[in-house]
Amino acid sequence: MTQAKPKFAPQVSVPANYMRGGTSKGTFFKLSDLPERCQVPGESRDKFLLRVVGSPDPYGKQIDGLGNGSSSTSKTVILSKSDKSGHDVNYLFGQVNIAKPMIDWAGNCGNLTAAVGACAINMGLVSADKINNSIDDNAESGICEVRIWQENISKTIVAHVPVYTDERGKVQVQETGDFKLDGVTFPAAEVNIEFIDPVDASSDMFPTNNLIDDFDVSGCGLSADSIKATFINAGIPTVFMKAEDLGFLGTELQGDINSNEELLNKLETIRAKGGVAMGLFKDVSEAQTSQHIPKIAWVGPAQSYKASSGKSVDTDDIDLVVRAMSMGQLHHAMMGTAAVAIAAAATTQGTLVNDTAGGRTLSEVRFGHPSGTLLVGGKTEQVDGRWQAKKVSMSRSARRIMVGEVFVPADAF
């Protein structure tokens, strides 16, 4: 008796770029390169990207994919030539859950934003004339201004990408350099990022209409049922609290938080209640389906501490310390979108962040995070009684790590 031959699903190969942007890594795709059914939102696209990254993985390692078992590396990006006037590229970000079959499309990744301009140039999504005109006659290098339409949040971001002319006379992205970014081991070229009008003119940057609120944290295991908080929607919805009110110093590292399951559950409950207070959820149970937003962060006065690399951060070098949670874990540095929120809050007098930084008028602030420090700039103003962030800027770096094809089993999506 002849046995039927087993049927094996082939693997599908798709062009992809694996890039570091800021203190994150992700897999970048050109929309037109994706399998046709994955070029539109839906189950097929999500399943494809989950398999690329290696989720869901109950072991938490994403061994069978390009993720590295942390929220900072479990990320995907889809780029396409922009159909928006005055923009070069559309940028869609997906935060992939490590343990659950879930991709959160609700927010942006500020860190990977640093890689979007460079990747768009290398993918041919930015016009050749614009790239070539970035370098003046008789000059060897210049800056290409890439205007990005961030599709998740419908916002404009401008990336100032350094470029140079190679020995063949072709303009290339400059990726190497001497700019050092805490949280990244090696130096690279500096990329300045500007987040333009990160808050809708029709929306409230402070959704409760207060710069500081009494935040109900009853049932969260804190010593008080109510603590002070600043709720802000700039970059990404974020709840800022005082470190001391949470029983922290503000100098915590990942090992102090991420190995304590009871503490993580407490912080997740606070995050869920924060989402309700901001109007993001009707009930705390809805937080389970939206782990990317809101973020929670705690601030403390400037103080000396040892960063995760062993580097000393001195009191005189910073204005305050900030720690933030991302996807249920203390972030190893600072999410780019949360840095936008920090900049907007710090440059608005009367918020917890500004008070902690000295309560004075600020146009920029340098804060300490687990990996070191970061300088961010911001400009906020009141328009018809409503606070608006007009622009937030910061310097990051980015680098191609690999360009090639990613393989996904055909029956996975």
Side-chain angles (χ1 to χ4, degrees):
M1 182 175 179
T2 304
Q3 289 185 327
K5 292 184 178 180
K7 294 182 179 180
F8 298 101
Q11 291 216 87
V12 174
S13 64
V14 178
N17 287 11
Y18 193 59
M19 296 193 70
R20 176 186 64 78
T23 56
S24 292
K25 288 191 295 187
T27 309
F28 286 61
F29 296 96
K30 185 191 292 188
L31 178 63
S32 58
D33 286 337
L34 292 174
E36 187 174 353
R37 63 184 181 275
C38 299
Q39 294 181 19
V40 294
E43 184 180 10
S44 291
R45 184 182 70 179
D46 284 10
K47 284 185 174 181
F48 171 81
L49 294 174
L50 282 163
R51 198 67 168 87
V52 166
V53 176
S55 290
D57 185 357
Y59 303 104
K61 304 298 184 183
Q62 295 174 316
I63 293 297
D64 200 22
L66 291 174
N68 295 143
S70 75
S71 65
S72 299
T73 58
S74 187
K75 300 172 183 280
T76 59
V77 170
I78 300 173
L79 302 182
S80 58
K81 196 167 185 64
S82 185
D83 54 354
K84 297 287 183 181
S85 176
H87 295 78
D88 299 298
V89 59
N90 291 340
Y91 157 39
L92 183 66
F93 167 69
Q95 177 70 58
V96 181
N97 194 293
I98 297 172
K100 300 176 182 179
M102 180 191 305
I103 299 180
D104 199 327
W105 300 99
N108 176 34
C109 175
N111 273 300
L112 287 188
T113 296
V116 170
C119 191
I121 291 173
N122 289 326
M123 283 183 172
L125 296 173
V126 180
S127 75
D129 286 345
K130 183 169 192 176
I131 298 168
N132 293 331
N133 291 336
S134 299
I135 298 181
D136 294 332
D137 292 340
N138 302 318
E140 295 182 352
S141 62
I143 299 293
C144 183
E145 183 184 282
V146 180
R147 295 185 64 84
I148 301 163
W149 180 251
Q150 215 300 319
E151 293 188 279
N152 303 79
I153 58 175
S154 299
K155 289 295 178 184
T156 297
I157 302 171
V158 181
H160 299 270
V161 182
V163 293
Y164 71 98
T165 303
D166 66 15
E167 65 277 1
R168 298 169 298 167
K170 184 178 179 181
V171 179
Q172 304 276 10
V173 173
Q174 178 192 337
E175 296 177 289
T176 59
D178 57 6
F179 176 73
K180 295 182 179 180
L181 178 65
D182 285 339
V184 178
T185 304
F186 304 108
E190 181 177 5
V191 180
N192 184 262
I193 303 294
E194 294 178 308
F195 298 82
I196 310 299
D197 291 325
V199 181
D200 288 327
S202 59
S203 302
D204 290 310
M205 186 163 75
F206 302 100
T208 63
N209 295 315
N210 300 314
L211 299 182
I212 297 179
D213 280 278
D214 291 317
F215 178 25
D216 177 12
V217 289
S218 56
C220 293
L222 301 181
S223 57
D225 289 337
S226 177
I227 62 174
K228 299 296 183 182
T230 289
F231 301 103
I232 189 169
N233 184 12
I236 200 163
T238 306
V239 182
F240 288 107
M241 298 160 284
K242 289 183 178 179
E244 60 182 313
D245 289 341
L246 298 176
F248 297 145
L249 295 174
T251 57
E252 289 74 25
L253 303 182
Q254 284 190 305
D256 302 317
I257 304 294
N258 294 346
S259 59
N260 188 327
E261 195 67 29
E262 181 180 354
L263 180 56
L264 291 175
N265 290 334
K266 180 190 297 185
L267 291 170
E268 176 59 19
T269 302
I270 293 171
R271 189 188 75 86
K273 297 196 79 159
V276 173
M278 295 185 76
L280 298 171
F281 312 137
K282 293 180 179 179
D283 183 80
V284 293
S285 62
E286 294 181 21
Q288 292 300 311
T289 60
S290 182
Q291 294 194 321
H292 190 48
I293 60 170
K295 303 298 187 188
I296 61 169
W298 53 94
V299 297
Q303 53 197 292
S304 298
Y305 65 95
K306 288 281 189 182
S308 56
S309 64
K311 170 184 175 180
S312 293
V313 177
D314 296 326
T315 304
D316 294 340
D317 293 337
I318 54 177
D319 299 294
L320 75 165
V321 292
V322 190
R323 299 296 187 265
M325 300 293 291
S326 176
M327 301 295 287
Q329 299 278 295
L330 179 67
H331 197 274
H332 73 101
M334 184 57 61
M335 305 83 79
T337 48
V340 173
I342 293 167
T347 54
T348 304
Q349 283 189 285
T351 67
L352 271 185
V353 183
N354 179 268
D355 286 350
T356 304
R360 62 192 188 279
T361 301
L362 295 169
S363 60
E364 61 181 21
V365 64
R366 185 179 294 277
F367 62 88
H369 56 74
S371 294
T373 69
L374 181 64
L375 178 69
V376 292
K379 180 182 179 182
T380 64
E381 59 184 47
Q382 277 189 306
V383 179
D384 297 327
R386 178 181 286 133
W387 280 102
Q388 292 290 307
K390 305 309 294 180
K391 184 171 72 172
V392 169
S393 62
M394 67 187 76
S395 286
R396 316 298 274 173
S397 64
R399 188 176 73 85
R400 283 179 297 180
I401 296 174
M402 187 194 72
V403 177
E405 295 177 313
V406 62
F407 288 82
V408 175
D411 60 357
F413 63 100

